[in-house]
Amino acid sequence: MKNVKWFLPVIVACFGLFTFTSCQDNFDLEPDGQDQFDDNFDDDGDNDSDNGNEGASLDSEYGVAIYSVDGQNIIKTDSKNVNPAWMNDDVKHQDIWEMVTTLIPADQRRWMTTFEIFDGGQELLGYVYNVTSDLTSWNFALGIDSAYPDGQTLQTSGDFIHTIIHEYGHIMSLNDEQLNPNSNSCDYNPGEGCARTDSYLNDFYNRFWADISSEHSAISEDDYDALYDFYDKYDDRFVSDYAATNPVEDMAEVFSYFITSDSQPTGNQIKDEKIRYLYEYPELVDLRNHMRATTFAMPEPGNWKRPNCKKHRHIATF
Ligand SMILES: [Zn+2]
């Protein structure tokens, strides 16, 4: 019964948004059957620069506006008119950006070089990708339909706060100071580059994933039955079933629990240890204190739409 409960929404959501592609790496399927990768994503789901065409641009399918980040300010570089018209409102875009800058201090935003607003159709929540292959520049993208569920009022609590925290959890752990894209020698490589020895993910992986990674690696990323069985087997290790997707998503969800929980967990399960692990980093504790000192209401830990499906690109299941 648990399997049915988890898999059906996953499949529905994936097919609903990415017709015919299931949860594969391709976002679009051309009518002639040729896979058409999104402008900004290659077959890793990232914006690697193998083709030498680095840079962020407006998402061809979902994008509404894309901005260049200049410190506290954003400057629009491209946009398209969408319906409903309120989604084109620059003031709303600016207000969303102000939420981001309020939650995340400037020094922690130094990798965010572009900011994108998209229409997620009530399904796509947010995504990040590296704009340059050296991992110094990242695009941070948020769904305006999630930000303004009723088209009028900015959601300053709940799911949208979680989306910002979760997506930032990726940039925090995948940037150039954390990963070395030019190295092939490391304990863990999420795809963008080798986890540096002193990185969050390197310790996280070695402490909490190394002994189960071969078992996890043997599971196909679209074999949801097997993935759920993996979670079910190790549910004492994961804050949610989604966290069992891979170490990168685990980190983003543990980070979300770390930020939104009122205090350190006292339990002895590995999932409790994971949250306490982030308290070992003073800069993360500072970030947590900063985020929690804003006027925004933190969501109840775990009480948010389940991000799903694509590498660093998240649609929701309900
Ligand atoms: Zn994620």
Side-chain angles (χ1 to χ4, degrees):
M1 195 58 195
K2 279 174 97 177
N3 283 5
V4 171
K5 178 183 170 189
W6 188 64
F7 293 118
L8 282 182
V10 170
I11 293 166
V12 167
C14 289
F15 277 96
L17 196 61
F18 307 119
T19 308
F20 305 127
T21 64
S22 184
C23 289
Q24 301 298 318
D25 284 334
N26 309 328
F27 291 121
D28 305 300
L29 192 66
E30 293 287 86
D32 62 1
Q34 292 294 311
D35 292 335
Q36 176 65 52
F37 299 145
D38 182 279
D39 290 348
N40 295 317
F41 291 76
D42 63 14
D43 58 2
D44 293 326
D46 291 308
N47 186 49
D48 298 341
S49 59
D50 299 341
N51 59 7
N53 185 25
E54 293 188 287
S57 58
L58 193 64
D59 185 278
S60 58
E61 185 171 1
Y62 308 106
V64 176
I66 192 161
Y67 293 83
S68 171
V69 174
D70 181 14
Q72 195 78 7
N73 303 313
I74 50 174
I75 301 127
K76 190 189 288 186
T77 57
D78 196 10
S79 63
K80 66 182 180 192
N81 284 324
V82 297
N83 287 312
W86 63 264
M87 290 186 179
N88 303 305
D89 183 353
D90 291 351
V91 174
K92 287 184 169 60
H93 302 176
Q94 292 285 342
D95 285 348
I96 295 171
W97 173 247
E98 188 174 330
M99 272 189 77
V100 174
T101 59
T102 301
L103 273 169
I104 306 168
D107 66 318
Q108 302 281 0
R109 279 185 275 112
R110 59 189 181 274
W111 302 279
M112 270 186 220
T113 54
T114 56
F115 174 62
E116 185 170 1
I117 295 287
F118 64 84
D119 174 9
Q122 303 297 317
E123 289 186 313
L124 183 59
L125 300 174
Y127 55 88
V128 300
Y129 59 82
N130 53 303
V131 174
T132 57
S133 58
D134 65 4
L135 308 180
T136 60
S137 300
W138 287 74
N139 184 44
F140 194 77
L142 295 171
I144 192 168
D145 52 310
S146 296
Y148 289 87
D150 65 359
Q152 296 181 335
T153 309
L154 181 60
Q155 186 185 58
T156 55
S157 62
D159 286 316
F160 191 57
I161 295 286
H162 168 250
T163 297
I164 295 173
I165 295 171
H166 178 106
E167 299 305 332
Y168 180 72
H170 288 317
I171 291 182
M172 173 201 84
S173 55
L174 298 172
N175 65 68
D176 65 307
E177 295 176 14
Q178 297 289 313
L179 305 182
N180 181 353
N182 301 315
S183 171
N184 293 315
S185 177
C186 55
D187 296 331
Y188 177 60
N189 185 332
E192 287 84 355
C194 260
R196 297 181 189 276
T197 306
D198 58 352
S199 65
Y200 305 134
L201 272 172
N202 190 60
D203 254 8
F204 190 78
Y205 174 84
N206 283 321
R207 286 199 207 186
F208 306 122
W209 275 83
D211 61 326
I212 55 173
S213 64
S214 60
E215 187 177 348
H216 178 264
S217 299
I219 304 171
S220 171
E221 65 179 3
D222 57 356
D223 187 346
Y224 303 112
D225 281 323
L227 280 171
Y228 189 84
D229 287 345
F230 177 79
Y231 162 71
D232 209 23
K233 180 177 179 180
Y234 297 112
D235 65 353
D236 61 318
R237 292 176 177 242
F238 297 107
V239 295
S240 65
D241 57 359
Y242 185 68
T245 302
N246 57 48
V248 169
E249 296 305 334
D250 193 14
M251 172 62 84
E253 281 301 272
V254 168
F255 178 68
S256 298
Y257 273 74
F258 165 74
I259 297 295
T260 60
S261 299
D262 289 339
S263 58
Q264 293 192 42
T266 56
N268 294 320
Q269 293 186 308
I270 292 176
K271 61 186 175 186
D272 302 313
E273 290 179 30
K274 286 177 175 175
I275 299 171
R276 286 196 294 269
Y277 161 72
L278 295 185
Y279 281 90
E280 296 175 16
Y281 295 93
E283 71 278 14
L284 297 184
V285 173
D286 288 346
L287 178 59
R288 177 180 180 276
N289 291 336
H290 177 94
M291 286 183 163
R292 296 177 60 83
T294 69
T295 58
F296 303 132
M298 288 291 135
E300 180 186 340
N303 187 19
W304 44 64
K305 292 173 185 170
R306 183 182 184 280
N308 188 41
C309 203
K310 296 299 301 181
K311 189 177 183 184
H312 316 328
R313 182 167 181 151
H314 305 97
I315 63 174
T317 52
F318 299 88

